[in-house]
Amino acid sequence: MKSVEIREAFLRFFEEQGHTRVASSSLIPNNDPTLLFTNAGMNQFKDCFLGNEKRAYTCATSSQKCVRAGGKNSDLENVGYTAHHHTFFEMLGNFSFGDYFKKDAITFVWYFLVSVLKLSKEKLWVTIYATDYETYNIWTKDIGMPVERIIRIGDNKGAPYASDNFWTMGDTGPCGPCTEIFYDHGAEIWGGLPGSPEENGNRYIEIWNSVFIQFNRTADGVLHRLLAPSIDTGMGLERISAVMQQVHSNYEIDLFVNLLSASAEAIGCANDNQCSLKVVSDHIRSCSFLIADGVLPSNEDRGYVLRRIIRRACRHGYKLGATGSFFYKIVAQLVTEMGCAFPELKQQQTNIEHVLKTEEEQFTQTLEHGLKILERDLTELKGTVIPGNIAFKLYDTYGFPVDLTVDIARERELTVDTAGFMREMDAQRMRARSASSFSRDHNTLFKVDAPTKFTGYMATSGLAKIISIYKDGTSVDVLRAGEKAVVVLDQTPFYAESGGQVGDCGFLSSNSSRFEVCNTTKTSSTFLHHGVLVLGNLPVGASVNAHVDADVRHAIAVNHSATHLLHAALRQVLGKHVQQKGSLVDNQHLRFDFSHLEALKLDQIQALENIINAKIRKNTPVKTEETDIETAKKKGAITLFDEQFGDKVRVLSIGDGFSVELCCGLHAKFTGDIGLLKIISEGGVACGVRRIEAITGAAALAHLDAAAEQLNKVTSLVKSSRNHLINKLSAMLERNRALEKQLDYLQAKVASAASNDLLAQALDVKGVKVLAVRLDGQDRKVLLALVNQLKYKLSRAVIMLGGVHENKVSLVSGVTKDLAGQLKANELMKQVATLVGGRGGGRSDIARGSGLDASRLDAALNLTIPFVEAGI
Ligand code: SER
């Protein structure tokens, strides 16, 4: 069976058992800061397991793209050296959210493996969590598994619940005991049963894991029992394909065969089962999928892991003899293999290739740079061992892999203190862990409140009841005038900050009280009105009128619609690789961050404005529709990686389908409401991420008015008219250039004459002519011309000229060529400039300086004679 057929057979089987087929989510976990990358099929259902989210279905099945590199469950170091580890793989899974539990889960697994895929029962072994007797009984009594084929695994990793048979998603989150099924690849393959010393061999391979989700682990390490026990299963598509295709390594399955030969071709080596070739073919998958999902190489977080994977791939390619960039050339084959199942690869092929090529080129330079640093360090090396901190500095600062340092050391009969290197690595890991943003627990105080009903799509005011009040983070029964607080209502027209749109402001009022709302935020479903009570008392339970500031709201809404138009226009002008990386929409302006590698050109910015303003002028209605995610995707709706979706999503369509996005924000009614859009800035915010800021409506008009006003001023300053302004300014600049030339010529003439006068002031110091003279009122250009003249006319001379010009001290020093090597103009300059509180530098024959302390200029010039005496 081909991999694609196995994937389909799995999903269809579980659909037939009443599961809903759900698409793979992005590799960037949905709104989950506790996770680096999506590492299991269950990630996208985390909140369903925890009971925080309800969907239309209670059982689901999916084929999920996963990356296990960096963070928890990382397999990076194993990849290439085992037959079944990958940085990227697909996980087939079936899930129950409080629906069926252990018995059904195990029955489904068994039926699928034995009756659908027709695997021989004799080849299958089972592990269970040591104390899970219920699962033991299901396997032995209901399934009829011989007891000698069931292996109990306890807490074999040195801490409670640290076990191969207790699965945790990360440091926090849903978890529970699990039962795993292993496939025996045959006695000819080395390896032992799980729990034996040879378990890491390739004979017995785990093909399926059923996790009995029963707990939520919080950051303090405590396991909280969940109300509804659930099921999370996972089967690696690559591993089951190896079984079905009767090969003993994942690298021999259909998904990898062509990828390996494409890798060999790109590198220019034989396709000979080398570990390095497997590394390259594995890594091209994770790197391409990560880039397609919006990750770019960088020095932090996800981007840093991507960078490490790319560099690991490059180094293995170089080991096989690659020269120059090769990695990006394999993308085309990957698109051929997987582009149908994952259209994002096809759509973004050019972008993925571009990012990889740029990173490879940068790494080549890094390697060269690192080599130079290493050479320098080696010349100063005492003994034959390169210290760990040097190897670490090369690795950490220059991205120079330690094994390369070891190779080079070996060529020179040196060794590297790898233990010292590891100590530095560990210390850095500790630092990174404590600073990591991936370990935050987002449980907040406000989570206890009931969900707030949002009424603000249709209205900007309405009646509401006060559910709770928090003062300084503590729940209170009543609020008094002057007190700041957070108020929770049963329903509200106030939009809470999310999706880049700022929260609404306004006020809550009753007959005798008024609470000014300055911002609105929300926890997962509770809206929080932040503000201050300016009048009366406000008790919990009171009824209030909630009023959103409608003018501010309107300005925010039109900017939000303009942001969608900008997003769509960017994809039209720059390409489909453009992905939203962040946004901020308020009543003053809009800011949009997006993935793109180069600065935008002026004509591209102009094109964006033209497209958007044409859509605005068409004045078409902004349409919203509630539908399910699959229908929305079919309509081409753009989704954001960090957005959370339930069963129903809100699709925003602007400009007759020009922009279709999933969005919960507030928008204009017609595009014409935006009035006009003007881009006011474009720049880079991080590697591969650009930012555009724009304004709309009255603000855009005011911006244009101000520009016109400035133009008027310039026109009147140069006494011209708008029509003739450019010609007039060009003529003025031309004349200015001519005058400057003339001035230079005259200054040189004056300097020549003046230098003759100065010659007489030269003193003789130990056979050197010393000329240290103060000339106020001359700019540095004149001093420089004079020093050059004097150097020309004198031999064995040191010249130091200084003067005050426009309240600043200017200095120029010179030394004639025949004193080269004995006295240096830049060293003299350093001493003199320092004394006048300034700085200076230059070459050994001519140097310049400046300073602010004119009162010390004479004393500073007097340093020249002692300088010459000391140096001759
Ligand atoms: N989440 C479990 C795993 O990744 C089962 O899918 O192994």
Side-chain angles (χ1 to χ4, degrees):
M1 256 174 128
K2 288 198 161 144
S3 310
V4 45
E5 292 163 347
I6 299 171
R7 187 195 290 127
E8 185 53 32
F10 180 95
L11 297 171
R12 205 170 340 107
F13 172 77
F14 281 100
E15 272 181 324
E16 283 160 12
Q17 314 307 319
H19 294 63
T20 299
R21 191 189 287 225
V22 178
S24 170
S25 66
S26 162
L27 284 169
I28 318 257
N30 275 351
N31 216 3
D32 187 349
T34 66
L35 203 58
L36 191 57
F37 296 121
T38 297
N39 66 3
M42 54 77 68
N43 295 161
Q44 66 166 315
F45 305 115
K46 179 179 169 185
D47 280 339
C48 301
F49 288 122
L50 295 178
N52 291 341
E53 189 192 334
K54 291 264 172 292
R55 299 202 184 180
Y57 45 82
T58 52
C59 313
T61 181
S62 69
S63 178
Q64 174 67 48
K65 32 184 194 179
C66 299
V67 164
R68 288 193 178 173
K72 190 149 173 81
N73 293 321
S74 174
D75 285 332
L76 183 61
E77 306 308 322
N78 286 324
V79 172
Y81 300 99
T82 73
H84 49 264
H85 281 106
H86 299 290
T87 51
F88 172 91
F89 64 97
E90 266 182 84
M91 190 180 271
L92 303 166
N94 57 288
F95 309 92
S96 148
F97 315 118
D99 191 309
Y100 60 85
F101 199 45
K102 291 186 179 179
K103 187 169 165 195
D104 287 335
I106 293 173
T107 312
F108 284 145
V109 172
W110 194 249
Y111 187 84
F112 182 74
L113 291 181
V114 172
S115 303
V116 180
L117 295 188
K118 301 200 183 329
L119 297 189
S120 150
K121 287 181 192 166
E122 284 64 47
K123 290 265 183 192
L124 301 176
W125 292 72
V126 164
T127 60
I128 60 168
Y129 190 50
T131 51
D132 188 355
Y133 301 105
E134 191 187 350
T135 301
Y136 181 81
N137 284 338
I138 295 170
W139 276 118
T140 50
K141 298 207 172 86
D142 297 306
I143 304 291
M145 189 67 151
V147 287
E148 61 276 14
R149 287 184 171 274
I150 302 177
I151 301 164
R152 292 156 180 273
I153 307 274
D155 293 339
N156 58 345
K157 294 185 175 167
Y161 305 113
S163 165
D164 283 338
N165 279 70
F166 193 97
W167 200 84
T168 54
M169 176 188 128
D171 293 334
T172 60
C175 54
C178 59
T179 180
E180 297 181 327
I181 299 178
F182 284 73
Y183 182 83
D184 179 1
H185 275 266
E188 68 279 19
I189 311 283
W190 181 82
L193 283 165
S196 73
E198 299 84 28
E199 65 175 1
N200 289 332
N202 288 329
R203 177 169 173 186
Y204 297 95
I205 299 298
E206 176 208 331
I207 53 168
W208 201 328
N209 185 12
S210 262
V211 185
F212 310 124
I213 299 279
Q214 283 163 273
F215 307 102
N216 177 25
R217 183 152 75 175
T218 42
D220 50 10
V222 176
L223 300 187
H224 305 270
R225 194 167 276 281
L226 292 170
L227 287 178
S230 298
I231 292 294
D232 149 39
T233 82
M235 175 162 73
L237 176 66
E238 295 75 7
R239 291 186 183 189
I240 191 66
S241 298
V243 170
M244 296 305 290
Q245 292 168 17
Q246 292 172 1
V247 292
H248 302 310
S249 160
N250 292 2
Y251 291 94
E252 292 170 46
I253 66 170
D254 54 351
L255 283 174
F256 270 100
V257 169
N258 295 332
L259 218 45
L260 280 161
S261 40
S263 304
E265 193 179 325
I267 293 168
C269 67
N271 181 358
D272 225 3
N273 200 29
Q274 310 95 312
C275 290
S276 289
L277 204 57
K278 292 178 195 164
V279 170
V280 172
S281 326
D282 170 275
H283 288 10
I284 194 65
R285 299 192 342 145
S286 49
C287 295
S288 302
F289 275 96
L290 283 173
I291 296 167
D293 276 349
V295 185
L296 287 167
S298 74
N299 282 335
E300 359 172 274
D301 299 339
R302 299 184 171 109
Y304 184 55
V305 178
L306 173 61
R307 172 161 284 168
R308 273 175 53 204
I309 309 176
I310 297 175
R311 292 188 170 187
R312 189 166 187 261
C314 290
R315 198 180 63 76
H316 280 275
Y318 300 149
K319 268 171 87 171
L320 293 173
T323 49
S325 313
F326 70 93
F327 196 44
Y328 77 98
K329 293 182 187 157
I330 314 166
V331 176
Q333 185 59 43
L334 178 66
V335 172
T336 311
E337 292 302 324
M338 302 187 76
C340 285
F342 298 96
E344 66 269 33
L345 277 185
K346 220 182 257 179
Q347 282 159 8
Q348 296 216 37
Q349 179 174 346
T350 320
N351 181 44
I352 297 168
E353 288 170 341
H354 188 101
V355 171
L356 289 179
K357 189 159 186 274
T358 311
E359 181 66 13
E360 284 187 85
E361 284 164 1
Q362 200 178 326
F363 184 47
T364 316
Q365 283 166 15
T366 301
L367 268 179
E368 273 173 27
H369 194 55
L371 271 175
K372 275 196 204 126
I373 303 289
L374 180 59
E375 288 297 343
R376 203 191 57 203
D377 287 343
L378 288 184
T379 54
E380 288 163 16
L381 185 72
K382 296 186 179 66
T384 58
V385 182
I386 301 177
N389 62 346
I390 290 189
F392 181 74
K393 179 186 75 184
L394 284 166
Y395 166 80
D396 193 42
T397 317
Y398 304 103
F400 200 73
V402 67
D403 25 12
L404 207 60
T405 313
V406 172
D407 279 351
I408 295 164
R410 195 180 303 124
E411 285 159 21
R412 301 177 186 215
E413 297 182 350
L414 300 172
T415 55
V416 177
D417 173 13
T418 42
F421 173 81
M422 288 315 293
R423 275 198 299 279
E424 298 278 350
M425 282 289 279
D426 285 343
Q428 195 211 39
R429 260 191 222 121
M430 292 298 291
R431 286 194 297 275
R433 205 168 296 147
S434 54
S436 167
S437 58
F438 290 103
S439 58
R440 292 191 302 252
D441 190 355
H442 276 236
N443 293 338
T444 68
L445 175 71
F446 306 106
K447 205 172 167 181
V448 289
D449 284 311
T452 314
K453 187 172 168 221
F454 178 58
T455 58
Y457 286 131
M458 307 303 289
T460 50
S461 64
L463 279 177
K465 202 172 122 193
I466 297 191
I467 299 289
S468 45
I469 302 175
Y470 295 97
K471 208 182 107 197
D472 298 327
T474 315
S475 174
V476 294
D477 292 336
V478 62
L479 200 63
R480 308 200 183 283
E483 290 178 336
K484 281 189 187 163
V486 170
V487 173
V488 177
L489 303 173
D490 61 342
Q491 54 179 344
T492 183
F494 282 76
Y495 182 82
E497 178 184 316
S498 64
Q501 180 179 330
V502 297
D504 275 336
C505 56
F507 62 91
L508 313 176
S509 66
S510 67
N511 284 346
S512 55
S513 65
R514 184 178 166 107
F515 181 83
E516 292 287 344
V517 179
C518 61
N519 192 13
T520 312
T521 61
K522 64 176 175 185
T523 63
S524 61
S525 51
T526 307
F527 285 48
L528 310 172
H529 305 80
H530 302 254
V532 59
L533 189 68
V534 290
L535 190 71
N537 291 338
L538 199 58
V540 170
S543 290
V544 286
N545 259 308
H547 296 270
V548 172
D549 185 324
D551 290 341
V552 174
R553 153 79 73 88
H554 180 74
I556 298 171
V558 297
N559 279 343
H560 201 157
S561 301
T563 309
H564 283 216
L565 286 177
L566 173 62
H567 190 182
L570 279 164
R571 286 166 70 91
Q572 181 175 325
V573 172
L574 304 179
K576 292 279 180 275
H577 63 277
V578 167
Q579 287 193 2
Q580 177 164 351
K581 289 287 175 191
S583 72
L584 177 70
V585 180
D586 61 22
N587 59 330
Q588 305 282 339
H589 80 318
L590 60 102
R591 194 175 83 192
F592 189 74
D593 295 349
F594 56 99
S595 49
H596 185 62
L597 285 164
E598 289 150 9
L600 267 63
K601 300 188 183 65
L602 275 181
D603 61 337
Q604 289 173 322
I605 291 179
Q606 189 67 57
L608 291 172
E609 288 183 344
N610 289 347
I611 293 168
I612 298 166
N613 284 318
K615 297 289 172 199
I616 292 172
R617 284 194 303 274
K618 269 203 149 179
N619 199 24
T620 50
V622 173
K623 292 182 188 152
T624 52
E625 183 195 355
E626 286 226 329
T627 179
D628 59 276
I629 180 87
E630 293 311 318
T631 316
K633 280 188 182 162
K634 276 190 201 115
K635 290 187 174 187
I638 298 175
T639 59
L640 291 187
F641 59 76
D642 61 351
E643 214 141 10
Q644 191 93 31
F645 301 115
D647 335 319
K648 287 281 172 220
V649 292
R650 192 163 175 264
V651 183
L652 249 292
S653 171
I654 309 184
D656 279 337
F658 172 65
S659 151
V660 185
E661 282 194 41
L662 299 191
C663 179
C664 296
L666 300 164
H667 284 268
K669 289 200 166 49
F670 289 88
T671 56
D673 297 347
I674 303 168
L676 171 72
L677 177 132
K678 185 80 202 141
I679 292 175
I680 51 170
S681 77
E682 190 280 337
V685 278
C687 168
V689 181
R690 312 288 310 168
R691 169 172 292 175
I692 281 183
E693 290 185 286
I695 47 179
T696 62
L701 269 179
H703 179 83
L704 294 180
D705 282 349
E709 176 65 24
Q710 256 178 344
L711 194 60
N712 284 343
K713 277 194 184 140
V714 174
T715 312
S716 95
L717 265 178
V718 299
K719 296 193 176 49
S720 177
S721 65
R722 285 264 187 117
N723 287 346
H724 298 112
L725 184 61
I726 299 288
N727 285 344
K728 175 98 190 224
L729 274 176
S730 304
M732 284 173 81
L733 286 171
E734 189 53 42
R735 185 170 151 70
N736 206 33
R737 272 192 290 273
L739 287 174
E740 267 177 8
K741 264 197 190 151
Q742 215 174 348
L743 185 64
D744 284 348
Y745 171 75
L746 290 174
Q747 273 174 344
K749 274 197 114 171
V750 171
S752 173
S755 67
N756 288 338
D757 299 341
L758 286 175
L759 283 176
Q761 298 182 39
L763 299 176
D764 190 289
V765 178
K766 289 178 156 180
V768 173
K769 289 192 195 68
V770 178
L771 199 56
V773 183
R774 177 166 177 162
L775 291 169
D776 287 340
Q778 307 294 341
D779 79 2
R780 211 162 55 175
K781 253 178 151 183
V782 176
L783 298 186
L784 188 66
L786 270 172
V787 171
N788 278 327
Q789 290 274 350
L790 288 164
K791 273 175 65 188
Y792 179 70
K793 288 177 185 163
L794 289 169
S795 54
R796 286 186 68 74
V798 172
I799 304 134
M800 180 77 231
L801 302 185
V804 182
H805 179 59
E806 291 173 354
N807 294 328
K808 263 180 72 179
V809 176
S810 292
L811 300 163
V812 180
S813 61
V815 172
T816 52
K817 272 209 182 82
D818 44 12
L819 285 176
Q822 299 184 59
L823 294 165
K824 293 199 168 93
N826 46 0
E827 284 175 5
L828 169 62
M829 179 54 74
K830 242 181 234 154
Q831 293 184 12
V832 175
T834 308
L835 199 59
V836 292
R839 281 196 322 197
R843 301 193 315 237
S844 57
D845 61 332
I846 188 110
R848 295 156 222 231
S850 61
L852 291 171
D853 190 354
S855 68
R856 295 164 88 174
L857 178 57
D858 292 329
L861 292 172
N862 285 343
L863 291 175
T864 312
I865 293 179
F867 173 81
V868 174
E869 280 173 342
I872 244 350

